[in-house]
Amino acid sequence: MNEQKKKLELSRRRFVQSVGAVAAGVTIVPRHVLGGAGQTAPSDKLNIAGVGIGGMGSVNLNNLRDENIGVLCDVDRARAAGTIQQFPQARFYKDFREMLDAEKDLDAVVVATPDHTHAVVAMAAMAKGLHVYVQKPLAHTFAEVRALTEAARKYKVQTQMGNQGRSGEGTRLVYEW
């Protein structure tokens, strides 16, 4: 009977060890498993909003298709219709201020609104701690540019102004060389 008890304890110990190993395997899963072979895991994707999604905004968002484009905003739904169709899972807003107040899980905002609103939208996004990509021109006055520069420092966000002649892959490669 003593021998049977030892076997029983040993099997219980093995059982507990096995369950522990399985539990660890389930909770510590490499991200490539969740994202699939050669895929980016969902947790490694940026949550991006597009403001001004007709025209150049549509082009910008298509270039970011590998990220999570979850929010779209444009005052002209008819002009934005094509982009809305390309990202059917995205929530839509007409007012960027309402969007910024409602959306709490954004990482970055792409701004491709009419020129006179670039600085206003970019400043509001940075104030929420969001990284910003803004189409050119960045602003209309040097004072607006200085204010955006200071806001980027203050809120510790990354910003970039879109200028297709300077931001393409070829230009990046030349810079690296």
Side-chain angles (χ1 to χ4, degrees):
M1 184 141 151
N2 202 8
E3 185 75 26
Q4 259 184 333
K5 190 174 180 183
K6 283 184 180 180
K7 285 183 180 180
L8 188 59
E9 284 177 10
L10 190 56
S11 66
R12 284 181 185 158
R13 184 177 295 131
R14 282 189 191 147
F15 174 76
V16 170
Q17 288 172 342
S18 298
V19 168
V22 169
V26 169
T27 58
I28 305 170
V29 179
R31 76 182 157 99
H32 72 274
V33 172
L34 295 176
Q39 300 294 316
T40 303
S43 60
D44 289 343
K45 291 186 176 192
L46 294 172
N47 292 320
I48 298 177
V51 180
I53 58 170
M56 198 64 207
S58 180
V59 174
N60 293 151
L61 292 176
N62 275 315
N63 287 332
L64 296 168
R65 271 187 125 21
D66 291 340
E67 302 301 330
N68 180 30
I69 310 299
V71 181
L72 303 173
C73 181
D74 203 302
V75 296
D76 186 348
R77 191 177 187 105
R79 179 156 167 73
T83 308
I84 293 169
Q85 288 175 350
Q86 290 174 347
F87 300 99
Q89 79 290 354
R91 293 171 299 284
F92 181 80
Y93 293 85
K94 286 189 80 148
D95 187 325
F96 74 92
R97 296 163 297 192
E98 289 176 11
M99 177 198 78
L100 290 173
D101 286 342
E103 299 294 332
K104 303 300 182 199
D105 64 343
L106 292 174
D107 297 307
V109 176
V110 173
V111 180
T113 56
D115 294 354
H116 66 281
T117 60
H118 287 182
V120 174
V121 177
M123 183 65 78
M126 284 191 275
K128 296 283 186 178
L130 302 172
H131 306 289
V132 182
Y133 179 89
V134 184
Q135 271 303 325
K136 65 175 174 37
L138 179 60
H140 272 162
T141 67
F142 288 117
E144 286 178 336
V145 172
R146 285 186 200 104
L148 289 170
T149 302
E150 289 305 314
R153 287 184 187 129
K154 176 181 177 181
Y155 299 114
K156 295 177 174 57
V157 296
Q158 297 297 312
T159 62
Q160 181 177 345
M161 181 181 71
N163 184 334
Q164 284 59 50
R166 302 283 187 261
S167 62
E169 179 68 8
T171 303
R172 186 190 65 75
L173 289 172
V174 168
Y175 178 78
E176 285 183 16
W177 292 336

